């Protein structure tokens, strides 16, 4: 299988704003291009994401939902393809705390990059990945989809048998390295769909660069 071409990333966190006048919430996406499915970093990336935003008990969701009350839920995930796919943090937040929400998301991203996960948090993130695997084989369609994944992404024949042990072997240093490699604040693209008049001043205060305005089709006005 030929090596995938590197994807082009943005070089700064410049926000993009799509105007929805009067919207009571802002739909946020904080995203960047990450890695293909066959990356050897996959176990560490999945464990890292579980702790950062993949679980209900993840740092981002506990911060914005449980502690701050800004949102009903904000989560993150990696989308994997044969070529590098996107990483995205996604959720809707109250219009009046759009800027604060982006700031808290970036704070949690930096926290994941700056310090290794504590032992209990690492264990919980690893276990979440191991214990979720049987669910992929509960039905005929699930089995078929999992087996098809080995073909589509050119994975080894023993991939699913060995994956639990590879999740269990992920270290705090590997999680931190995955965050540093794939979740770089200066390459994250902030997209906010909401009431422009209310959210634009909030985003401008974050010092992320001049917001770019686009219409609902993603086109420049």
């Amino acid at each position: 299988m030929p090596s995938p071409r590197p994807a082009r990333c943005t070089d700064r966190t410049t926000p993009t704003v799509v105007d929805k006048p009067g919207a009571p919430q802002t739909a946020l996406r904080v995203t960047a291009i990450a890695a293909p499915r066959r990356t050897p970093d996959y176990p560490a990336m999945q464990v890292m994401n579980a702790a950062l935003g993949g679980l209900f008990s993840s740092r981002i969701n506990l911060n914005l939902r449980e502690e701050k009350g800004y949102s009903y839920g904000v989560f993150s995930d990696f989308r994997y393809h044969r070529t590098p796919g996107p990483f995205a943090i996604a959720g809707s937040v109250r219009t009046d705390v759009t800027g604060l929400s982006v700031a808290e998301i970036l704070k949690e991203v930096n926290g994941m990059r700056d310090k290794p996960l504590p032992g209990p948090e690492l264990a919980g993130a690893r276990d979440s990945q191991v214990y979720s695997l049987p669910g992929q084989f509960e039905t005929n369609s699930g089995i078929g989809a999992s087996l098809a994944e080995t073909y589509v992404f050119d994975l080894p024949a023993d991939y699913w048998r060995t994956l639990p042990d590879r999740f269990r072997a992920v270290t705090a240093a590997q999680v931190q390295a995955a965050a540093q490699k794939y979740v770089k604040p200066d390459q994250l693209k902030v997209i906010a769909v909401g009431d422009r008049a209310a959210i634009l001043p909030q985003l401008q205060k974050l010092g992320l660069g001049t917001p770019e305005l686009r219409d609902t089709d993603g086109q420049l006005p």
Side-chain angles (χ1 to χ4, degrees):
M1 175 178 147
S3 299
R5 290 177 296 175
R8 187 169 67 89
C9 296
T10 59
D11 58 0
R12 59 190 305 179
T13 327
T14 305
T16 294
V17 175
V18 178
D19 190 19
K20 298 289 286 185
Q25 291 185 316
T26 301
L28 283 178
R29 298 294 185 272
V30 182
T31 184
I33 297 298
R37 180 62 175 82
R38 289 192 75 226
T39 174
D41 295 329
Y42 177 83
M45 292 168 68
Q46 288 296 97
V47 173
M48 185 278 293
N49 180 69
L52 177 62
L55 303 174
F56 185 88
S57 58
S58 64
R59 293 183 176 187
I60 290 174
N61 191 57
L62 288 183
N63 182 336
L64 271 68
R65 175 190 163 101
E66 300 297 298
E67 296 176 17
K68 302 292 193 309
Y70 292 168
S71 171
Y72 283 115
V74 179
F75 298 94
S76 67
D77 70 342
F78 287 98
R79 304 287 177 88
Y80 297 100
H81 307 291
R82 289 174 69 92
T83 54
F87 167 76
I89 300 168
S92 293
V93 301
R94 295 199 328 261
T95 295
D96 63 315
V97 292
T98 298
L100 292 173
S101 297
V102 172
E104 290 298 318
I105 287 171
L106 296 178
K107 184 188 79 173
E108 297 299 349
V109 167
N110 282 316
M112 189 66 64
R113 291 165 51 86
D114 292 343
K115 295 181 180 180
L117 284 182
E121 192 175 9
L122 174 64
R126 285 189 309 214
D127 287 348
S128 73
Q129 300 307 294
V130 174
Y131 297 150
S132 67
L133 287 175
Q136 295 183 224
F137 298 87
E138 286 181 337
T139 64
N140 289 337
S141 61
I143 293 170
S146 297
L147 295 178
E149 195 171 336
T150 63
Y151 172 78
V152 170
F153 298 116
D154 195 24
L155 302 174
D158 65 349
Y159 181 81
W160 296 108
R161 181 176 63 81
T162 61
L163 185 57
D165 285 339
R166 285 186 285 127
F167 277 138
R168 293 187 185 101
V170 171
T171 66
Q174 289 172 325
V175 168
Q176 185 179 15
Q180 292 172 344
K181 183 176 181 179
Y182 295 109
V183 193
K184 299 178 180 179
D186 63 348
Q187 292 181 355
L188 290 171
K189 184 72 175 178
V190 176
I191 303 169
V193 181
D195 188 337
R196 169 185 168 185
I199 67 178
L200 197 58
Q202 299 178 50
L203 295 174
Q204 290 171 329
K205 292 179 181 179
L206 299 179
L208 301 178
T210 302
E212 179 181 77
L213 304 179
R214 291 188 177 263
D215 63 22
T216 53
D217 293 321
Q219 303 301 311
L220 293 170

